Amino acid sequence: MTGTANSALRSREWFGATGRSGMTHRSWMRSQGFTPEVFDGRPVIGIATTWSELAPCNVHLHRVAESVKRGVWQAGGFPLEFPAMALGETLLRPTAMLYRNLLAMEAEELMRANPLDGVVLLSGCDKTTPGLLMAAASVDLPAVMVTGGPMLSGKYQGTDVGSGTAVWRFEEDLVAGRMTQEECTFAEGCMARSNGHCMTMGTASTMASMAEALGMQLPYSATWPAVDSRRYETAQRAGQVIVGLVEQDLRPSAIMTRAAFENAIRVNAAIGGSTNAVIHLLAIAGRLGVPLSLEDFDVLARDVPTLLNLQPSGTYLMEDFCYAGGLPAVMRELDQAGLLHADAVTVTGAGIGANVADAPCWNRDVIKTLADPFQPAGTGTAVLRGNLAPAGAVIKQSASSPHLLKHRGQALVFDSPAAYYAVSNDPDLDIDEDTVLVIRYCGPQGYPGMPEVSNVALPKKLLLRGVRDMVRICDGRMSGTAYGTVVLHVSPEAAAGGPLALVRTGDWITLDVPARALTLEVSDEELAARAEQWEPPAPHASRGWTRLYTEHVLQADLGADLDFLVGGSGHEVPRDSH
Ligand code: FES
């Protein structure tokens, strides 16, 4: 395609234009020192970079972009890097999730408004991968994702420590006196010792795997460590590939089909992925008009065992997963059992089955087989229903304590995590291991943004007695790196007037995961009477993004996208600017 004028390319509307308009578009670009040949009709490839020092998981993406550019030049394209909103999970308050849709909206508009024929999406930290996929879905220009890769394994006192997962454990050890403050401070530096995103099977690793399972990034892209030379080799290859995708006009809508989402849901079960994948995949599907429901995550995953022995459910970390064979080795297992739609097309141009057909596995302790899985089928994310969650809730069974999956207890209710933490160290707190902790007003509207606060730490009183888990119920989310018997994403949320808002301390609640039931043992008449007395909380903001977000955000069971962002607007060239 090098040098051949292609009038079908949308970038020709800018750089191929005659007169004042074309002169303007070309002249200012030449201020960067490009030779005129870049305007000869070659595909213009945008590289959306979510790089920022405020998003440490993505800080190396500027360097990854250089590798992508090499590939684009090699294949005869014209690469142009542009920044898209960087969302750092660990710093952004009240939660990076409040801004996922803003990134998606910003990136969508930038892709459509600029002279781009295709895009490479550079992401890493939790929300950047779904945000960019949502944008690409709504624009539907040829797109390839390159996630930034996980950090190297954390090392502390001769053992591997996983980012996120170890934080929860260290905190409990500190409270229980099993660890000193000095040891804890030292351990902080041992957990994050290279570029990259969390190296447990948290949300970032999960969403990188989802991007690969959907067919939107090249095989093995999810697992190369961020500092591995093959991460950069893959990025360069992605630069070559996107030029070919433009030539073929192979767009996200042809890749992210219902079959691709079914593949992703099954892969998520096989890798013991984060519950956050549920919300993000629903949101991405919503942009494409692909029918997908909360129930699909339960039904499709029921016959898929967990194959991966990775933290937080297991032992190993992403670096081990990479060396054991990476995601293709997992998908090959599924494919051989007929659990993949093998013909779902990917950015390689081939079906996903062909991509993984020869994938080897080098360590069966990390990547198990279907015949000898890490955890049996049906232990993945379960979708619960009942009068406490009429629109659904989820629980990650593999991160839960088996003895709590059927449980009846009395509620102890808090209207925020802060209200709970204000008393959680009180030795006289009226709580025991049978209590069901209810933490509410943490949903999309309620917090706002639906933060990862649902797995509140256990009260000191129980920790000192050696209790390590109890049932918690919340309308918020949980970090993919976390563990515990926590019912999440309760919908509708309390702030929207869902039944969760009507629970009172002392009410009996029954959790029955095998029956997929979550029941508040209060009569309909009593709940109706309580609903009469309920008053919605005051709005969080009178202006700006937070106001727009809280007025338009959908509930978790619909993906928590904004109602007016569902669907897409395509990539028609906008009117001239001058
Ligand atoms: Fe960025 Fe975990 S904080 S991936």
Side-chain angles (χ1 to χ4, degrees), residues 97-112:
M97 184 64 175
L98 178 61
Y99 304 106
R100 181 202 65 178
N101 301 338
L102 185 56
L103 162 63
M105 192 161 72
E106 181 213 26
E108 173 184 344
E109 299 301 334
L110 285 172
M111 289 176 203
R112 186 178 300 113

Side-chain angles (χ1 to χ4, degrees), residues 1 43 45 47 65-79 119-120 142 144 146 218 232-248 347-348:
M1 184 174 277
I45 305 299
I47 304 171
E66 293 305 315
S67 294
V68 176
K69 285 180 200 172
R70 286 185 202 166
V72 173
W73 286 121
Q74 273 181 322
F78 176 23
V119 284
V120 178
V144 178
V146 181
L218 293 171
Y232 293 91
E233 193 179 314
T234 302
Q236 186 167 334
R237 188 70 66 200
Q240 298 169 348
V241 161
I242 185 63
V243 176
L245 292 183
V246 171
E247 197 169 25
Q248 299 161 42
V347 290
T348 65

Side-chain angles (χ1 to χ4, degrees), residues 57 89-90 124-126 197-198 204:
C57 307
E89 196 67 27
T90 53
C125 200
D126 295 11
H197 58 67
C198 290

